[in-house]
Amino acid sequence: MVKQKNSKHLSAVFFWFLVIVLIYWWSFQSLDFTGVKSSAGQVLNAMIHGLIHPDWQYVYDGSGEDLLSLILQTLAIAFLGTFSSAVLSLPFAFWAARGPHERHRHLRSTTGKFVIILIRTFPEIVLAIMFIKAVGPGSFAGVLAVSIHSIGMLGKLFSEALENMDYRASEALISVGANQPQTLVMATLPTILPEFLSYTLYQFEIAVRSASILGMVGAGGIGTPLLFAIQTRSWQRMGIILIGIIIMVTLIDLLSGTLRKRLV
């Protein structure tokens, strides 16, 4: 019996391994690889030299277009976009969440989940391009792009947290005659708030990375000078910008991780 189970397990593993290999083989068939350019080694050496010898004068020069100023702008875009979406996503989360006594009534939660998926479908960079056409280039377009995309992400996470929460406090208040608003304020929100804050901080980490890229399409932040440095082959400028992004993302991850451990 044990040998039969092991044989079935090995057959299943071999089958899925073969499927994955076939998928990779089929995917590579559509690639048009023309070889490595002759200047690739020279460009790579220049990039490495730029990282080792960055342009330290660009760190701060008081112009408002230096590294520190644009990193602060990037953090501001991520902060405003994330924490405004944390508030805006709450109605979507309650819309999509299925309560403990709604196991056979899926219409409300299904439509809510569909709307959240629809919002989450568009990447931040696509939303940024759309908002640039509507409000013009700059940080405001970046904030709108981050906030709209984060509504889809946080709405999904918040709704799942609501579905998995402990409803005993809410049921105790309902049993003594509390109405729905009282139950929401006195039981549901206090129970779920630490998890909501943890998810918001996690989304903020992702938004910092996204905001660093949005500048490449004109939505403000550190991405714009990074793109210009690459286009003009200013590798020393590119090096200091990348170092700044690495330090910023690392510090935000460490701070957010520490806060999330204390919350949950």
Side-chain angles (χ1 to χ4, degrees), residues 2-252:
V2 175
K3 289 183 178 179
Q4 187 176 4
K5 286 184 178 180
N6 290 335
S7 178
K8 287 182 178 180
H9 178 70
L10 289 174
S11 299
V13 169
F14 178 76
F15 171 76
W16 287 113
F17 175 77
L18 184 61
V19 169
I20 293 171
V21 170
L22 289 174
I23 291 173
Y24 269 94
W25 175 82
W26 175 76
S27 301
F28 276 108
Q29 297 307 305
S30 61
L31 293 178
D32 186 16
F33 182 67
T34 58
V36 180
K37 292 184 177 181
S38 59
S39 60
Q42 183 180 358
V43 172
L44 181 61
N45 288 332
M47 289 181 178
I48 295 173
H49 183 271
L51 283 170
I52 298 174
H53 303 88
D55 181 10
W56 295 108
Q57 293 181 351
Y58 184 66
V59 173
Y60 182 76
D61 58 15
S63 65
E65 297 296 329
D66 51 72
L67 181 65
L68 286 179
S69 301
L70 291 173
I71 279 181
L72 289 175
Q73 186 182 100
T74 302
L75 289 173
I77 292 171
F79 182 86
L80 287 173
T82 302
F83 289 93
S84 61
S85 67
V87 177
L88 295 174
S89 62
L90 287 175
F92 293 93
F94 282 98
W95 181 11
R98 187 172 59 198
H101 306 298
E102 300 178 6
R103 299 302 179 189
H104 303 292
R105 291 184 291 177
H106 302 295
L107 181 60
R108 178 183 62 81
S109 63
T110 301
T111 55
K113 291 179 188 300
F114 175 77
V115 171
I116 289 175
I117 291 172
L118 188 64
I119 296 172
R120 202 170 65 251
T121 300
F122 299 94
E124 293 99 330
I125 197 162
V126 175
L127 290 171
I129 294 171
M130 294 168 61
F131 283 122
I132 286 171
K133 297 296 183 182
V135 301
S139 302
F140 187 49
V143 171
L144 290 175
V146 171
S147 62
I148 296 300
H149 183 76
S150 296
I151 287 174
M153 296 298 296
L154 289 177
K156 177 181 184 296
L157 295 172
F158 287 178
S159 65
E160 291 178 352
L162 286 168
E163 290 177 349
N164 297 325
M165 70 173 285
D166 186 356
Y167 282 93
R168 286 179 295 181
S170 301
E171 292 171 350
L173 284 175
I174 293 172
S175 67
V176 297
N179 56 31
Q180 192 169 2
Q182 290 172 333
T183 305
L184 175 65
V185 173
M186 300 178 66
T188 303
L189 289 180
T191 301
I192 208 68
L193 188 59
E195 199 164 357
F196 277 13
L197 290 174
S198 177
Y199 284 139
T200 303
L201 289 170
Y202 176 69
Q203 182 60 30
F204 177 59
E205 295 177 22
I206 299 173
V208 169
R209 298 180 179 87
S210 300
S212 302
I213 303 300
L214 294 181
M216 290 189 171
V217 296
I222 196 64
T224 302
L226 177 60
L227 178 63
F228 289 159
I230 295 172
Q231 289 178 338
T232 59
R233 296 179 180 269
S234 180
W235 306 122
Q236 291 181 330
R237 177 68 57 86
M238 183 206 72
I240 192 62
I241 293 173
L242 289 178
I243 291 172
I245 292 174
I246 291 170
I247 293 173
M248 173 184 67
V249 171
T250 302
L251 290 177
I252 291 298

